[in-house]
């Protein structure tokens, strides 16, 4: 069926330092990667080995500080302001039709004022011509006023005459 592979069991040889005649590689400190350092083994041999970093100093715990009064006030005030803004929005949504009607009424009133400012002087001028023209019976009379002003020099006194014809 199925054959099992056989393995040869060997015993490890004890470690022995290399002979003195063998060339040992020279490693500069700059070539040593992080996390590796020179260590001395119990038998006195110095070699490179992985080292564990020094444990970080624990952060000293400080006593809990009380919460400032302004932070408490702000925390309590935030929901109140939010609810107030929400209520104002709901109120404006209910008042929107009335506000629209009032804005139309204000525009109509402004248009009426502008029309009155333009129309009233025109009506007064028309009424005055009708009254002045009908009293003479000939279509109205015109008055000519002539004014002559004379002055001598830059700062001289001005003299004038007015003639009614």
């Amino acid at each position: 069926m199925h054959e099992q592979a056989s393995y040869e069991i060997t015993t490890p040889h004890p470690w022995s330092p290399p002979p003195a005649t063998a060339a040992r590689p020279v490693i500069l400190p700059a070539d040593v990667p992080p996390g590796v350092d020179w260590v001395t083994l119990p038998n006195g041999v110095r070699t490179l080995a992985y080292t564990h970093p020094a444990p970080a100093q624990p952060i000293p715990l400080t006593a809990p500080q009380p919460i400032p009064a302004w932070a408490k006030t702000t925390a309590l005030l935030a929901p109140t302001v939010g609810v107030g803004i929400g209520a104002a929005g709901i109120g404006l949504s209910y008042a929107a039709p009335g506000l629209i009607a009032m804005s139309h009424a204000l525009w109509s009133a402004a248009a009426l004022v502008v029309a009155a400012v333009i129309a009233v002087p025109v009506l007064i001028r028309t009424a005055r011509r009708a009254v002045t023209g009908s009293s003479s019976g000939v279509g109205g009379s015109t008055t000519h006023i002539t004014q002559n002003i004379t002055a001598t020099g830059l700062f001289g006194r001005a003299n004038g005459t007015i003639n009614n014809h």
Side-chain angles (χ1 to χ4, degrees):
M1 284 231 221
H2 180 250
E3 276 188 48
Q4 286 198 313
S6 60
Y7 296 100
E8 181 182 343
I9 298 175
T10 60
T11 57
H13 298 296
W15 183 85
S16 61
T21 59
R24 294 185 181 190
V26 177
I27 298 177
L28 298 173
D31 295 336
V32 176
V36 175
D37 201 2
W38 288 101
V39 295
T40 304
L41 298 176
N43 62 359
V45 176
R46 285 187 46 88
T47 184
L48 289 173
Y50 289 105
T51 58
H52 296 290
Q57 295 293 333
I59 298 172
L61 295 176
T62 58
Q65 300 294 325
I67 298 173
W70 64 268
K72 290 180 185 177
T73 305
T74 304
L76 293 173
L77 199 59
T80 307
V81 171
V83 169
I85 290 172
I90 292 171
L92 284 174
S93 69
Y94 282 125
L99 292 174
I100 292 170
M102 281 193 287
S103 74
H104 287 307
L106 285 173
W107 279 113
S108 299
L112 182 65
V113 168
V114 169
V117 166
I118 294 172
V120 168
V122 171
L123 290 174
I124 291 174
R125 188 179 310 134
T126 305
R128 189 179 293 161
R129 281 186 187 162
V131 169
T132 328
S134 64
S135 65
S136 66
V138 184
S141 65
T142 57
T143 305
H144 295 285
I145 300 175
T146 316
Q147 186 175 10
N148 295 323
I149 299 174
T150 57
T152 56
L154 183 60
F155 296 106
R157 188 170 183 175
N159 295 320
T161 57
I162 297 175
N163 299 322
N164 250 340
H165 297 286

